[in-house]
Every structure is written in C-alpha cells, then in structure tokens.
Amino acid sequence: VHAHSCCTLLAKKEIYFTAPNDSEEPRWRTWIDYGKFHELEKEWRLNGTHFSSKDYLADTPHWALPDATEEGFDPIECRVRRNRKGIEVPIDYKSSESGCG
C-alpha cells in the first residue's frame, strides 16, 4: 500500500510470494533487481537466452509491505512540500483515514 498516492499493488501470490531458493521461507518479491535484469538482457542479446520476470525478482522492502508503519514511504527519504514561496519544507506525513493525506 502506497498511502500518499492511494495505490495498492496487486500481485499473484503464486508468482510474487516465493522463496528465492529451497532453503528459505517464501516472501513478497515484487521489486526488480535491475543489475540481474541487465545481465539477463545482455545474455539474451548475445545468445538468445530466454528469461522471464521471475528471473530478476527482488525482495519487497519491509516498508512497502502491507501493514508497514511507513505506509509505503522509504524511511531514508524525507518528504517535503513547497510553501508559497517555493521553498521546500520537510513534513511529518500522517495519512488520513482514506490514505490520501
């Protein structure tokens, strides 16, 4: 759930709630490992090796999971708004009941 944009990611559990390998527990993997994607894309261009989105999935960060206290905000980022003079002012975000701020 991404509180400030009122968006919810819909993902098929059988594809995106998986374990990276047999020795790990399943977890949400809805992010893209861009390094892996570019490696696979390069192999495809050079050798025609096929790949799918399952091959470059990355774990969903804890702050982007449902019920996360961060409500979809990356905790290392600072949310700002511009005042009437155009100056950025950091704010503490508190979502409304609708989640739209």
Side-chain angles (χ1 to χ4, degrees):
V1 176
H2 201 239
H4 63 285
S5 63
C6 297
C7 293
T8 300
L9 173 68
L10 302 176
K12 290 186 174 189
K13 271 185 124 175
E14 59 269 12
I15 297 172
Y16 298 102
F17 190 73
T18 61
N21 58 54
D22 293 335
S23 64
E24 296 185 55
E25 291 292 317
R27 57 186 175 256
W28 284 107
R29 298 174 51 75
T30 59
W31 278 48
I32 297 170
D33 178 339
Y34 284 100
K36 182 70 173 174
F37 171 81
H38 289 295
E39 288 174 22
L40 293 167
E41 190 270 338
K42 183 178 180 180
E43 286 297 313
W44 174 76
R45 276 189 287 116
L46 294 173
N47 308 321
T49 306
H50 292 278
F51 63 96
S52 75
S53 61
K54 291 180 184 179
D55 298 321
Y56 54 86
L57 292 178
D59 290 353
T60 305
H62 70 89
W63 51 264
L65 294 170
D67 300 324
T69 58
E70 297 87 355
E71 298 180 308
F73 290 100
D74 186 337
I76 65 168
E77 293 183 5
C78 177
R79 182 150 187 209
V80 298
R81 288 207 174 136
R82 293 188 189 276
N83 65 16
R84 290 182 182 183
K85 295 179 182 178
I87 299 170
E88 288 186 351
V89 180
I91 59 168
D92 267 339
Y93 179 78
K94 301 286 184 226
S95 66
S96 65
E97 197 170 302
S98 71
C100 295

